[in-house]
Amino acid sequence: MTKEEQQVEKRLLDLAETAYRRGIPVYSDFLNLNELHIYQGIRPKLSYVETESFGGYELAERQMAAFYPDALFCLEYPLACLKISPLQERFAEKLTHRDCLGAVLNLGLNRSKVGDILMEEQEALLFCHKSMADFICENLARIRHTSVYARPLEPAEIHYEPKYEELTGTLASVRLDSLLSLALGASRSSLTALIEGGRVFVNGKLITSNGYEPKEGDLVSVRGMGRFCFYGSGGQSKKGRRYVTVRKYS
């Protein structure tokens, strides 16, 4: 574990200790995939508190960790969802996730205060720390050459249906490298470096073994290349290979 990773672990353990001592829920900032892996690793040490994570919607990649004394507490994560829209749709550019993230971080925000950004046509949904919501709404006026405005959404207004492509194939066995090959359209051998290089996560947990076998419903994230859900497996082909379906999110 690197020094930076040790600092992340210490920070999370300190939050858990604070929740235990003060008897109140305590929340982290948004955790990236590496930090979520560290969080998953320390959970067995936290028998003295309850803990879970959430990023604003079911499939969130960046999530906040919550630590609280017992299961009776009602959690209110300190996050907000902002809708970013062009001032004039007819003059709006086609913006990307990178465009939106760059414009928000250029306001001086720390990356840990910003969660997922979901692109929808010419608009975007931005999850952020609640304390940053008003600042972003007041100061985000332009993304690239497009004039925009941001407004907070109430929980009942947040409607997000992830877009995905359903891919079906036959595999000799349901191994991680085989699923990656099906989802990413590349050979198993070419994907070995991704797994061994620490870029593949299953449900937020770092996996470095090619032979790891995901379970149905597991969410697989490949840093810098997207994510997919192992949706299920069915019968066998005449050659004894298993039919497998994945949902690749766009």
Side-chain angles (χ1 to χ4, degrees):
M1 185 178 288
T2 67
K3 184 177 180 180
E4 182 177 315
E5 290 170 339
Q6 291 174 345
Q7 291 174 341
V8 171
E9 181 178 285
K10 182 179 184 305
R11 185 167 73 246
L12 294 173
L13 290 172
D14 286 345
L15 292 176
E17 179 65 23
T18 299
Y20 176 73
R21 283 190 292 99
R22 298 180 61 188
I24 59 173
V26 178
Y27 305 88
S28 72
D29 285 339
F30 286 99
L31 304 176
N32 61 30
L33 287 171
N34 284 326
E35 292 164 339
L36 282 170
H37 171 63
I38 296 170
Y39 162 71
Q40 296 287 0
I42 68 169
R43 292 187 72 176
K45 304 177 183 179
L46 305 179
S47 58
Y48 54 94
V49 291
E50 300 287 333
T51 180
E52 60 183 66
S53 61
F54 183 59
Y57 68 105
E58 184 179 356
L59 294 174
E61 187 167 284
R62 297 177 64 84
Q63 300 183 25
M64 292 178 169
F67 307 92
Y68 50 107
D70 60 62
L72 296 179
F73 276 86
C74 181
L75 298 182
E76 294 184 10
Y77 285 84
L79 56 80
C81 180
L82 308 181
K83 187 169 188 176
I84 302 173
S85 307
L87 280 175
Q88 294 181 299
E89 290 188 13
R90 61 180 298 187
F91 298 118
E93 304 167 88
K94 184 175 181 180
L95 301 174
T96 66
H97 178 280
R98 178 176 292 184
D99 295 330
C100 290
L101 178 60
V104 171
L105 296 185
N106 281 340
L107 298 177
L109 271 68
N110 188 291
R111 184 66 177 97
S112 66
K113 299 296 184 182
V114 181
D116 284 5
I117 300 175
L118 308 174
M119 306 305 299
E120 294 187 326
E121 302 291 335
Q122 292 179 309
E123 298 179 317
L125 296 180
L126 166 71
F127 292 89
C128 66
H129 196 284
K130 194 172 183 178
S131 63
M132 298 290 103
D134 288 344
F135 175 81
I136 295 173
C137 290
E138 292 168 4
N139 292 277
L140 184 64
R142 183 177 295 274
I143 300 177
R144 290 185 60 189
H145 304 294
T146 299
S147 296
V148 301
Y149 69 98
R151 68 176 182 88
L153 297 181
E154 296 295 330
E157 295 182 90
I158 304 172
H159 303 291
Y160 174 67
E161 291 291 336
K163 298 180 178 62
Y164 61 83
E165 177 185 5
E166 197 160 276
L167 303 170
T168 300
T170 59
L171 304 178
S173 60
V174 186
R175 292 162 41 111
L176 182 58
D177 54 0
S178 298
L179 288 175
L180 284 173
S181 178
L182 175 60
L184 301 180
S187 67
R188 287 170 53 186
S189 58
S190 67
L191 296 169
T192 299
L194 293 179
I195 300 172
E196 295 178 350
R199 292 178 57 184
V200 180
F201 299 79
V202 178
N203 298 331
K205 183 179 180 180
L206 176 67
I207 302 297
T208 55
S209 170
N210 294 334
Y212 179 85
E213 296 187 4
K215 299 179 179 63
E216 292 186 14
D218 280 356
L219 183 66
V220 181
S221 300
V222 185
R223 198 170 59 207
M225 298 184 69
R227 54 187 174 162
F228 65 90
C229 175
F230 173 27
Y231 190 63
S233 59
Q236 292 186 341
S237 70
K238 292 181 180 180
K239 295 183 178 181
R241 295 169 64 87
R242 294 176 63 181
Y243 288 102
V244 170
T245 301
V246 301
R247 287 183 171 178
K248 182 180 179 182
Y249 297 103
S250 56

